[in-house]
């Protein structure tokens, strides 16, 4: 569950015209481009899940790649804002839920979870969320994780490397990118994981 202070922070940020400068920042556009590239690595996507849609900037980019897209966000304001932005797409299912409680019998070929998990209150909740995500990822499915590389400086419970280590307990890390500029606020790790299945994929981890 997101702590009250973080919940209130998200409400304030979502009230802005361009929260987190997702549309106006060249850094954010490059981050999205890399996440989209990783999302295409397994070929066509029948069923995808986006965890945390923010204002819908990435949702609109991801939707054309998928036959079906489920979007989960704990903030009703985020769901409504992203829904308006992507209203031309009819194959998106919207769910207001925190990721620890979200459940479906569907198994996803692709899961994208970016700039979300550090809002949880502690490592225990992060671990629970990760176990849930792994359980609904299809065998050989891809999970794209993105996070501010040094988010602990903002008072969050764990940094990106800790969360990546938790994912690596169940998934295979295939690729890692470090996107950054001279600004301390533009520093992001993006990692592609694969869930073990019937086929093998050579690791290509780089920085």
């Amino acid at each position: 569950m997101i702590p009250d202070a973080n919940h209130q922070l998200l409400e304030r940020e979502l009230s802005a015209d361009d929260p987190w400068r997702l549309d106006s920042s060249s850094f954010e556009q490059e981050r999205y481009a890399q996440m989209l590239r990783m999302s295409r690595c397994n070929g066509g996507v029948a069923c995808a899940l986006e965890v945390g849609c923010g204002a819908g900037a990435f949702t609109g980019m991801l939707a054309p790649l998928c036959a079906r897209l489920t979007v989960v966000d704990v903030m009703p304001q985020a769901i409504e804002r992203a829904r308006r932005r992507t209203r031309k797409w009819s194959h998106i299912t919207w769910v207001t839920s925190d990721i620890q409680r979200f459940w479906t019998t569907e198994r996803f070929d692709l899961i994208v979870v970016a700039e979300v998990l550090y809002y949880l209150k502690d490592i225990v909740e992060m671990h629970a969320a990760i176990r849930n995500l792994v359980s609904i990822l299809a065998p050989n499915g891809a999970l794209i994780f993105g996070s501010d590389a040094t988010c602990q400086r903002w008072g969050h419970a764990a940094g990106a490397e800790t969360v990546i280590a938790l994912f690596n307990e169940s998934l295979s890390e295939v690729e890692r990118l470090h996107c950054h500029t001279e600004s301390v606020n533009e520093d992001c790790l993006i990692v592609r994981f694969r869930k073990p299945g019937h086929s093998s994929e050579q690791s290509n981890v780089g920085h």
Side-chain angles (χ1 to χ4, degrees):
M1 182 177 294
I2 294 179
D4 288 343
N6 283 343
H7 200 279
Q8 292 166 5
L9 173 63
L10 283 169
E11 285 185 333
R12 290 195 301 272
E13 290 173 335
L14 281 164
S15 67
D17 289 337
D18 183 11
W20 311 290
R21 297 178 59 242
L22 299 181
D23 291 314
S24 57
S25 166
S26 59
F27 170 79
E28 296 295 345
Q29 294 304 307
E30 172 62 19
R31 184 170 68 90
Y32 285 156
Q34 295 296 344
M35 288 167 55
L36 275 176
R37 180 188 60 77
M38 289 186 182
S39 297
R40 293 189 181 101
C41 283
N42 280 19
V45 179
C47 184
L49 171 69
E50 182 186 19
V51 180
C53 59
F58 188 70
T59 310
M61 300 177 189
L62 185 61
L65 302 183
C66 315
R68 298 190 308 281
L69 174 60
T70 300
V71 178
V72 177
D73 200 293
V74 72
M75 303 294 292
Q77 303 96 316
I79 292 285
E80 181 56 33
R81 188 162 181 168
R83 189 199 298 266
R84 289 197 306 269
R85 181 169 184 152
T86 60
R87 56 185 175 271
K88 70 177 180 178
W89 302 107
S90 61
H91 64 298
I92 304 177
T93 299
W94 304 91
V95 181
T96 302
S97 174
D98 64 57
I99 193 55
Q100 302 102 297
R101 291 179 175 82
F102 172 71
W103 179 249
T104 175
T105 56
E106 198 160 22
R107 294 298 175 262
F108 298 97
D109 305 306
L110 171 68
I111 296 176
V112 179
V113 52
E115 308 298 338
V116 172
L117 295 180
Y118 53 64
Y119 283 109
L120 299 177
K121 71 177 183 180
D122 55 32
I123 296 290
V124 173
E125 290 204 350
M126 292 178 186
H127 210 171
I130 288 167
R131 286 196 300 267
N132 193 28
L133 289 170
V134 170
S135 73
I136 58 179
L137 181 64
N140 293 313
L143 185 145
I144 313 301
F145 169 72
S147 177
D148 184 297
T150 55
C151 55
Q152 277 183 295
R153 70 174 179 266
W154 307 116
H156 295 296
E161 291 286 0
T162 299
V163 178
I164 290 167
L166 293 176
F167 274 117
N168 270 316
E169 292 178 2
S170 304
L171 304 178
S172 300
E173 183 176 333
V174 177
E175 181 182 3
R176 182 188 299 210
L177 287 176
H178 186 187
C179 299
H180 59 93
T181 69
E182 293 181 359
S183 170
V184 296
N185 294 323
E186 295 180 336
D187 191 354
C188 178
L189 283 171
I190 308 171
V191 181
R192 178 166 65 99
F193 298 94
R194 185 184 66 83
K195 187 171 184 177
H198 299 299
S199 64
S200 62
E201 181 173 3
Q202 294 298 316
S203 179
N204 180 30
V205 179
H207 297 272

